[in-house]
Amino acid sequence: MKIKKLVFASVCVMCTVFAFSAVKSVPAEKGIKKIATVAESFGDGEKVSAVIITYSNKIDAASVNLNSYTVECIENGKTVLRTVEEVSVDGKNVTLKLAYVNKWDATNGKMPQRPKSSEGENVQADNGPRFDDDGVPVDVTASITQIADIKAKNGTIYKAGSTSIKSTSSTELVLQDFKKYYFTDKETGITLPYFVYLPKNRQSMNQL
């Protein structure tokens, strides 16, 4: 009887040791496979509205909260720390919804005046809003840093760190639904590109 108890105890110890050894920890940057952003057009321009982080394993939702990451975006040529207002987990994906801040709030909704050149023409201010017509493209990338441990459902721990990881793809809502067409003036031969938004229930320009 004592031998059976000893064998049983030994098996339990071995199982416990195996269970602990099966749990592994890896740096966050090793577990994150992809980062994508979602951009939307607002009253003050296009902005990143969400970040989708894809891990190599399914994530335990209970291990993720609003303070698990920091998110930085480029706005008007400057790095801005964005506030995460909502977190959701779907399998391997963690989605961070970012709080929207209107850049014109600081001026009570008034567009900052641009300085004038010696000829009296408006010139681009370094601290004013920048639009596509200023020749400065909108940056829809984001850089995230996982600052808290995240746990996968298989027990893997993605350790917090200080490494910033940049997004590699983006979905631009609404804008991606615009179709590009061209108009060519027969007299001058000049070709003008233009964009048209087609509702989903229309398939071609002929239905407009």
Side-chain angles (χ1 to χ4, degrees), residues 76-121:
N76 299 327
K78 299 179 181 180
T79 300
V80 178
L81 183 64
R82 299 290 300 276
T83 300
V84 179
E85 67 176 8
E86 185 178 318
V87 178
S88 61
V89 176
D90 182 13
K92 298 179 181 180
N93 296 328
V94 176
T95 300
L96 311 177
K97 182 180 179 182
L98 306 180
Y100 165 63
V101 177
N102 191 318
K103 67 183 179 184
W104 290 344
D105 285 347
T107 59
N108 294 321
K110 296 181 180 179
M111 185 183 296
Q113 293 294 315
R114 299 180 183 179
K116 294 183 180 296
S117 66
S118 57
E119 290 77 23
E121 298 179 352

Side-chain angles (χ1 to χ4, degrees), residues 43-181:
D44 59 339
E46 188 178 21
K47 296 176 182 290
V48 175
S49 59
V51 178
I52 303 172
I53 307 165
T54 303
Y55 286 85
S56 55
N57 293 292
K58 292 183 178 180
I59 299 300
D60 180 359
S63 68
V64 185
N65 58 55
L66 297 177
N67 300 312
S68 297
Y69 307 88
T70 60
V71 180
E72 293 181 326
C73 297
I74 304 297
E75 297 180 5
N76 299 327
K78 299 179 181 180
T79 300
V80 178
L81 183 64
R82 299 290 300 276
T83 300
V84 179
E85 67 176 8
E86 185 178 318
V87 178
S88 61
V89 176
D90 182 13
K92 298 179 181 180
N93 296 328
V94 176
T95 300
L96 311 177
K97 182 180 179 182
L98 306 180
Y100 165 63
V101 177
N102 191 318
K103 67 183 179 184
W104 290 344
D105 285 347
T107 59
N108 294 321
K110 296 181 180 179
M111 185 183 296
Q113 293 294 315
R114 299 180 183 179
K116 294 183 180 296
S117 66
S118 57
E119 290 77 23
E121 298 179 352
N122 288 329
V123 297
Q124 175 62 47
D126 291 335
N127 59 351
R130 292 178 181 267
F131 304 92
D132 285 339
D133 58 2
D134 293 320
V136 180
V138 177
D139 192 319
V140 293
T141 62
S143 296
I144 71 102
T145 304
Q146 184 187 304
I147 57 175
D149 290 352
I150 301 296
K151 183 179 180 181
K153 287 190 174 182
N154 68 356
T156 301
I157 303 296
Y158 299 115
K159 299 296 294 181
S162 57
T163 301
S164 178
I165 310 171
K166 191 173 183 178
S167 61
T168 56
S169 63
S170 179
T171 298
E172 298 180 84
L173 301 183
V174 180
L175 289 182
Q176 66 183 7
D177 296 327
F178 278 75
K179 304 297 181 182
K180 189 175 185 179
Y181 295 91

